[in-house]
Amino acid sequence: MNDFTFLCPTKFVFGRGVTDRVGAELGALGRRRALVVYGQGSAVRTGTLGRVLASLDAEGIAHEELSGVRPNPEVGLVRAGVERARGIGADVILAVGGGSVIDTAKAIALGVPYQGDVWDLFSRAAEPVAEGKPPVACVLTIPAAGSEASASCVITNDELRLKRGLSSELHRPAVSIMDPELTFTLPSYQTAAGVTDMIAHVIERYFSSAGPVPVTDGIACAIVRSLVEEAPRALADPADYDARANIMWAGMLAHNDIAGLGRSSVAGGRAGGWESHALEHELSAHDARITHGAGLAVIVPAWMRHVWRENPDRFLAFGRDVFGIEPVDPAEDAVEVTAEEAVADAVGATIDELQGFFVSLGMPRTLSELGVTRGQIPALLGTLEKNKGPVFGEFRRLTMEDARQIYESAL
């Protein structure tokens, strides 16, 4: 087990009807003026925003609204939010939505005390500062990104065709309101894409260069097993509270770093090289219509097939602990395969099982289903190299040629 530092100061308020407690929770933190950030209408249509604003009013918390956050949120709205927050003297940025909305709120909060362009923080031209930064709170409506507890934030710059993440402990929300009943109305596709994203968050950490870490690995595999069990239940009955609750809680655990503790090669750093996320971010940066989870459903298995020989034992452990897949023993089972072939068969079955699960939820199997063509790959590689350099990753270092092969194999 490698050294690590873990801090998760977020207060979680979880359960039926807790949406109506947001005002009291912010009041208890001494917050008096909120910028309320939300998306493109679902929070209004479902009545969630009305409940939130009523709760703020009951607590005497002044508020203004900033709407229009899109999937794969763009820096232009963040810039507008920074100006709005400064103008009203916001002492809390309240997100009502999923990962895109929460990430927008996080970026706004970081931008408030910074005197330059907020994109500087994402391009690494400047470092975020704590002084003068308002806290972030959220009412989670779409469990997927895990942004309700994570130290991560991802923003797109359409002009530059770049999508960049920024990790900072300053991102972790002060309080997260998690009401599973808010997810009853989620479309099946969003539910499926969210579950896929959660599993990818675990996989990125699990497949690191560190050796086995039994406690952490057990947590990671238990999260994936739970999602494999609960997602079909939620799709079959969208109002199954227990299924929705377990998915919501799993999404938080998948990305608050607990599933990777002891696996980082850098003390205090995040486990894994996040290769699949890097490859997918280019897809949704070039085409904002591509849902992040849907892109990951294709990229994660393609990456696995490309790199598994780097550490077959890691893949065998994942297959055994998540899907119960074991390689055959040629000596005991009297089969005409070598030990190496038995390992390859078991690893292949594990990857097939994972991809088959994604597809069973309604996720795509190929990039072609997402409208990606072979002719677009050079452009994807161009911005990938700008974001990650010519070599990236940690489980296995990937070159741009590796990336090209993964994209092409996924078509």
Side-chain angles (χ1 to χ4, degrees):
M1 180 183 289
N2 294 332
D3 297 344
F4 63 85
T5 300
F6 179 57
L7 173 67
C8 189
T10 304
K11 178 180 180 180
F12 302 103
V13 183
F14 189 103
R16 290 182 173 90
V18 296
T19 303
D20 301 315
R21 288 172 51 183
V22 62
E25 294 294 336
L26 295 187
L29 294 174
R31 304 297 112 183
R32 306 312 304 164
R33 187 174 294 276
L35 178 65
V36 182
V37 182
Y38 58 99
Q40 297 178 319
S42 63
V44 177
R45 291 191 300 272
T46 59
T48 300
L49 182 67
R51 291 172 64 186
V52 169
L53 298 182
S55 181
L56 297 177
D57 289 338
E59 192 66 25
I61 297 174
H63 51 82
E64 287 199 19
E65 302 169 29
L66 178 71
S67 64
V69 179
R70 72 176 202 198
N72 301 305
E74 210 273 333
V75 71
L77 190 66
V78 174
R79 291 170 177 143
V82 169
E83 295 304 315
R84 182 79 65 85
R86 289 172 179 167
I88 67 172
D91 61 7
V92 63
I93 313 298
L94 174 61
V96 181
S100 295
V101 174
I102 301 171
D103 280 7
T104 299
K106 288 178 175 181
I108 291 170
L110 281 190
V112 167
Y114 178 62
Q115 294 308 304
D117 180 10
V118 67
W119 183 252
D120 293 345
L121 304 174
F122 291 85
S123 63
R124 310 297 191 272
E127 293 294 323
V129 297
E131 185 176 358
K133 172 194 168 293
V136 171
C138 65
V139 177
L140 181 65
T141 64
I142 306 174
S147 195
E148 65 275 10
S150 77
S152 301
C153 175
V154 180
I155 297 295
T156 298
N157 187 317
D158 281 354
E159 182 180 358
L160 301 177
R161 299 188 77 177
L162 292 177
K163 184 175 182 178
R164 286 194 168 165
L166 175 64
S167 293
S168 170
E169 290 300 326
L170 297 176
H171 281 320
R172 297 201 194 264
V175 59
S176 291
I177 306 295
M178 303 177 69
D179 183 344
E181 290 183 328
L182 298 185
T183 69
F184 288 0
T185 58
L186 279 180
S188 296
Y189 192 82
Q190 274 192 309
T191 299
V195 167
T196 303
D197 194 13
M198 296 171 199
I199 291 175
H201 290 156
V202 175
I203 284 174
E204 299 279 26
R205 294 173 166 92
Y206 186 91
F207 291 98
S208 76
S209 60
V213 183
V215 174
T216 296
D217 294 347
I219 292 170
C221 289
I223 293 170
V224 178
R225 285 197 308 272
S226 295
L227 289 167
V228 169
E229 293 170 3
E230 300 295 346
R233 291 177 52 198
L235 292 179
D237 179 4
D240 184 328
Y241 179 85
D242 285 338
R244 291 292 193 179
N246 279 302
I247 289 171
M248 180 174 271
W249 192 238
M252 188 282 295
L253 292 172
H255 203 30
N256 79 338
D257 292 326
I258 197 170
L261 297 181
R263 300 204 56 81
S264 173
S265 59
V266 179
R270 175 184 292 172
W274 292 77
E275 298 90 344
S276 294
H277 269 69
L279 291 161
E280 194 293 318
H281 280 168
E282 301 311 320
L283 301 176
S284 45
H286 283 251
D287 186 348
R289 296 170 298 178
I290 294 177
T291 301
H292 178 54
L296 286 169
V298 180
I299 290 295
V300 169
W303 171 82
M304 293 174 119
R305 292 189 176 98
H306 191 79
V307 304
W308 72 265
R309 290 175 180 82
E310 189 73 17
N311 188 345
D313 288 343
R314 196 73 192 142
F315 280 84
L316 291 176
F318 184 79
R320 179 188 64 245
D321 294 342
V322 174
F323 297 114
I325 295 172
E326 295 274 9
V328 299
D329 186 328
E332 292 184 3
D333 298 327
V335 293
E336 294 183 2
V337 296
T338 65
E340 291 78 10
E341 290 170 334
V343 167
D345 288 345
V347 171
T350 295
I351 300 171
D352 289 345
E353 189 75 17
L354 179 66
Q355 186 164 39
F357 171 69
F358 292 154
V359 171
S360 76
L361 300 181
M363 291 290 95
R365 186 182 294 274
T366 67
L367 292 181
S368 299
E369 295 172 60
L370 295 171
V372 179
T373 66
R374 189 177 299 271
Q376 293 173 291
I377 292 177
L380 298 174
L381 295 175
T383 50
L384 176 64
E385 187 167 4
K386 285 182 182 179
N387 274 324
K388 294 297 180 181
V391 182
F392 68 102
E394 193 250 10
F395 182 79
R396 174 183 149 185
R397 300 287 282 167
L398 300 178
T399 65
M400 290 301 108
E401 175 59 21
D402 288 310
R404 181 188 64 76
Q405 291 178 22
I406 292 170
Y407 282 137
E408 288 184 350
S409 72
L411 287 172

